[in-house]
């Protein structure tokens, strides 16, 4: 009886051991299969970061006051530093 019980324990232990090894192999294969796309995801992330940087640069360029000033000059407006306000009766040549 003890021999039979011992054999069952040994067979169960061997079965669990083989099961753990097979399970480890399947988990390893599954993880390797899932990690194949990591490089593609990293490249896509870098592409998106570059595109985002270019869009931010475009937004900053379009939103700058320099561009607004250039458009205003096209419509005939000038910078305030170039405008002379005559509040006296002097001639223009005397003001300059």
């Amino acid at each position: 009886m003890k021999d039979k019980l011992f054999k069952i324990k040994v067979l169960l232990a061997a079965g669990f051991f083989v099961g753990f090894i097979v399970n480890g192999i399947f988990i390893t294969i599954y993880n390797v299969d899932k990690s194949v796309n990591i490089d593609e995801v990293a490249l896509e992330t870098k592409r998106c970061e570059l595109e985002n940087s270019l869009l931010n640069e475009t937004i900053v360029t379009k939103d700058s006051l320099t561009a607004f000033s250039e458009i205003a000059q096209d419509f005939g407006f000038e910078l305030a530093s170039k405008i002379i306000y005559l509040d006296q009766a002097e001639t223009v040549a005397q003001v300059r």
Side-chain angles (χ1 to χ4, degrees), residues 1-12:
M1 182 76 169
K2 286 185 180 182
D3 257 354
K4 194 173 186 180
L5 190 60
F6 180 74
K7 287 181 183 179
I8 292 174
K9 286 182 182 180
V10 168
L11 286 175
L12 283 175

Side-chain angles (χ1 to χ4, degrees), residues 5 9 13 15 18 21 45 49 60-61 77-78 81 88 96:
L5 190 60
K9 286 182 182 180
V18 170
I21 290 175
T45 302
E49 287 174 354
V60 168
T61 303
F77 294 98
E78 291 291 329
S81 62
Q88 298 175 359
R96 286 186 169 203

Side-chain angles (χ1 to χ4, degrees), residues 77-91:
F77 294 98
E78 291 291 329
L79 295 175
S81 62
K82 294 183 179 179
I83 297 174
I84 301 172
Y85 295 97
L86 300 174
D87 57 356
Q88 298 175 359
E90 299 173 350
T91 62

Side-chain angles (χ1 to χ4, degrees), residues 60-74:
V60 168
T61 303
K62 299 279 184 190
D63 195 32
S64 72
L65 290 177
T66 306
F68 180 74
S69 175
E70 290 173 358
I71 294 170
Q73 285 179 358
D74 290 342

